[in-house]
Amino acid sequence: MPKRIGVVLSGCGVYDGSEIHEAVITLLALDRDGVDVVMMAPNRDQMHVVNHLNGEPVPGEKRNVLVESARIARGEVRDIATVRVDELDALVLPGGYGAAKNLCDFAVRGAECTVYPKVERLILDMHRAGKWIAALCIAPVVVMKSLTASGIKPTLTIGSDPGTAAELEKMGGKHQVEDVRGVAVDSENRVLSTPAYMLGQRISEVAEGIIRTIDELMKRLEG
Amino acid sequence: MPKRIGVVLSGCGVYDGSEIHEAVITLLALDRDGVDVVMMAPNRDQMHVVNHLNGEPVPGEKRNVLVESARIARGEVRDIATVRVDELDALVLPGGYGAAKNLCDFAVRGAECTVYPKVERLILDMHRAGKWIAALCIAPVVVMKSLTASGIKPTLTIGSDPGTAAELEKMGGKHQVEDVRGVAVDSENRVLSTPAYMLGQRISEVAEGIIRTIDELMKRLEG
């Protein structure tokens, strides 16, 4: 039986949604490993829309996270509210500001953020079922907040940025410094993380860290 | 000296812009080969905006091809009108309906389509300079129309769809059947093509064809 792994998208574009390279590299690595991928995203408006050419928010424009995520998913994406833990063997969260803007509000509230309830519910359900979760780039903030809010204290990496690492530790867990090719492994809490574009300058080095993370994940599912 | 290769984007999303997986796999393959990539797109409105969740056009919504392409490019994308042939060693066009809607109007006019002048100009300049062009998925229609309109008759593949192949041949060139892992090589006219998602069912098989195409391209630049 192929493994079924969920991929949580948060829009389509690094500044207001999923980081596209990270998401696609994740999908490619999982497909090469013969995984059945279940793509999902919250059915809600994005925090805002950013013009990716000039980096500025576009006043008044609205886009829906699920609808924009469908661009990366070629239409095959489900409302995360409908996904049950027993459908999945593991969960992967690619990064991009969408993780910190649309899956939670870390981008504006830091350690005091709240996670979108349907995302938090699935992360907690996965944890309680003893299933692995992998988070890339800035997405570890979503996992950290979801778990620490329930008294679980995982170890995760967002690379080496001191400010972001300090916010993660304020939530109650532990930050582990890693480079762009590194993977932080917390075997007790079954979470994996890699810095991806939090540190990466080139798509090929980001791919190395993500592929290594998916390799580590698959070893644990098959072991 | 690293090679400099242009990548022509046409928006962000398979139904109204660049096919995102094809574009990202292209960028990853080029970066792994040490290439300096120059991303570019036309600065014009998309033909339309498609909701990728339900596949329906969104009435009244407008998006700009260059601005949406910047999502794939993480902001680093130039107006194709400003790109000169002497900056580039080769050119790659990923697919997606955007190639047939925003780079030309093949999606509505078939063989009678016209290519957006700034795209046609760069393709012709590349050809006249003896530089290689690679086109993925449906993007061969853009290259075929640009070249046949000037009396050049290349051989290209869009896979095996008889209707699309017939439109290509009506333009005046030749269609070559290939499978998803195949590459059509026209050494006389220096064009390469691969079917990608015209035939691919899985991202990993699409990646095989694209990576093989980039390998064939790099061999010819280094040879």
Side-chain angles (χ1 to χ4, degrees), chain A residues 37-106:
Chain A
V37 173
V38 178
M39 284 177 274
M40 64 192 80
N43 186 4
R44 63 187 310 220
D45 280 347
Q46 296 182 184
M47 176 180 285
H48 58 182
V49 177
V50 174
N51 174 323
H52 280 55
L53 196 59
N54 63 21
E56 299 292 330
V58 183
E61 186 164 352
K62 283 190 186 302
R63 296 189 186 181
N64 176 283
V65 180
L66 181 62
V67 170
E68 297 309 313
S69 297
R71 294 178 173 272
I72 293 174
R74 298 169 49 86
E76 295 299 316
V77 61
R78 288 167 55 187
D79 181 345
I80 195 167
T82 71
V83 179
R84 300 183 324 273
V85 64
D86 58 9
E87 295 181 71
L88 302 177
D89 295 303
L91 193 67
V92 184
L93 293 87
Y97 279 97
K101 291 176 174 178
N102 303 327
L103 303 185
C104 68
D105 56 1
F106 180 86

Side-chain angles (χ1 to χ4, degrees), chain A residues 143-160:
Chain A
V143 177
M144 182 66 90
K145 189 69 189 188
S146 299
L147 297 183
T148 54
S150 291
I152 303 141
K153 298 181 175 181
T155 298
L156 288 155
T157 189
I158 49 78
S160 56

Side-chain angles (χ1 to χ4, degrees), chain A residues 12 14 16 19-21 31-32 50 52-53 63 68 70-72 74-75 77 197 202-204 207 211, chain B residues 12 14 16 19-21 31-32 50 52-53 63 68 70-72 74-75 77 197 202-204 211:
Chain A
C12 181
V14 55
D16 59 15
E19 208 300 310
I20 291 172
H21 303 188
D31 194 47
R32 283 176 167 164
V50 174
H52 280 55
L53 196 59
R63 296 189 186 181
E68 297 309 313
R71 294 178 173 272
I72 293 174
R74 298 169 49 86
V77 61
Y197 273 114
R202 304 187 67 135
I203 184 173
S204 57
I211 290 167
Chain B
C12 181
V14 55
D16 59 15
E19 208 301 309
I20 290 173
H21 302 188
D31 194 47
R32 282 175 168 165
V50 174
H52 280 55
L53 196 60
R63 296 188 187 182
E68 297 309 314
R71 294 178 173 272
I72 294 174
R74 298 170 49 86
V77 59
Y197 273 115
R202 304 188 68 132
I203 185 174
S204 57
I211 290 167

